[in-house]
Amino acid sequence: MEQATFGGGCFWCTEAVFQNLKGVEKVVSGYTGGRIANPTYKEVCSGLTGHNEVIQVTFDPAVVSYEELLEVFWKTHDPTTLNRQGNDTGTQYRSGIYTHTEEQQRLAEHYKQKLTETGAFDQPITTEIVPLTTFYPAEDYHQNYYNLNGSQPYCQFVVKSKVDKVKAVFGHKLKQTA
């Protein structure tokens, strides 16, 4: 098993996007990139800690490659809006890839360069690609959030559209139970 860490806005959205992919064993919502140890959700939401809401994906590279995870990442959020995803604004919602190895760093930078060269987006990509420092799991009530709280308004209006997009675009890569 390997790990990948992504920030694509609210971690409830990114968690729901990745957890039904074949080869993904576990997705944990959490925080990285900030100035204090063991931050709380309230502290991160203040925007003062420098942390980003991220997910850490544990995956089987024999089933789903890191490159495939990158493809899902790039296609399921807007990497051109600095510190923003939809109505969620602040540095805690920035687009980021937090690499675990030099190979992940190389692959992520190559993918970003390819997207830039081909003009895949109308605006410049603002996604940061940096080595992962420390990952702090979010509080328990943030884990598996969409599956446990799918009827909540935020889940219905924001998360569900991302989940539906994954089903439409990556249906062949989803677990049978998804």
Side-chain angles (χ1 to χ4, degrees):
M1 292 294 189
E2 294 183 16
Q3 289 187 319
T5 304
F6 302 112
C10 170
F11 50 34
W12 298 341
C13 293
T14 50
E15 175 190 67
V17 162
F18 282 88
Q19 65 188 168
N20 290 320
L21 293 174
K22 291 178 189 172
V24 171
E25 179 72 23
K26 179 171 69 168
V27 180
V28 177
S29 292
Y31 317 107
T32 195
R35 296 179 285 281
I36 65 170
N38 301 305
T40 65
Y41 182 66
K42 185 176 180 179
E43 290 169 332
V44 172
C45 284
S46 76
L48 300 175
T49 68
H51 289 89
N52 192 6
E53 286 192 17
V54 298
I55 56 159
Q56 193 158 80
V57 179
T58 301
F59 66 100
D60 181 348
V63 178
V64 62
S65 70
Y66 184 72
E67 292 94 330
E68 289 173 300
L69 296 178
L70 287 171
E71 179 184 13
V72 172
F73 169 79
W74 290 111
K75 289 184 177 177
T76 56
H77 82 293
D78 183 352
T80 68
T81 53
L82 184 62
N83 301 329
R84 177 187 199 117
Q85 285 299 304
N87 290 329
D88 295 328
T89 60
T91 57
Q92 67 271 28
Y93 302 116
R94 65 190 178 271
S95 176
I97 300 171
Y98 304 93
T99 58
H100 293 250
T101 65
E102 288 181 15
E103 179 67 1
Q104 284 186 0
Q105 183 83 20
R106 185 189 68 73
L107 291 168
E109 289 174 355
H110 176 74
Y111 206 122
K112 180 179 176 180
Q113 181 181 352
K114 187 171 90 174
L115 290 171
T116 299
E117 289 172 358
T118 61
F121 297 99
D122 293 337
Q123 301 294 320
I125 295 171
T126 62
T127 304
E128 65 182 5
I129 301 173
V130 296
L132 179 70
T133 51
T134 303
F135 173 80
Y136 300 101
E139 296 83 348
D140 287 345
Y141 69 93
H142 291 295
Q143 309 304 329
N144 199 30
Y145 193 86
Y146 178 70
N147 290 329
L148 297 174
N149 301 281
S151 63
Q152 296 294 325
Y154 185 88
C155 290
Q156 283 297 300
F157 295 111
V158 180
V159 183
K160 185 178 183 308
S161 65
K162 291 180 180 276
V163 170
D164 289 346
K165 181 177 183 176
V166 169
K167 287 179 181 177
V169 176
F170 299 106
H172 61 289
K173 294 184 182 190
L174 297 178
K175 298 172 185 170
Q176 292 299 319
T177 58

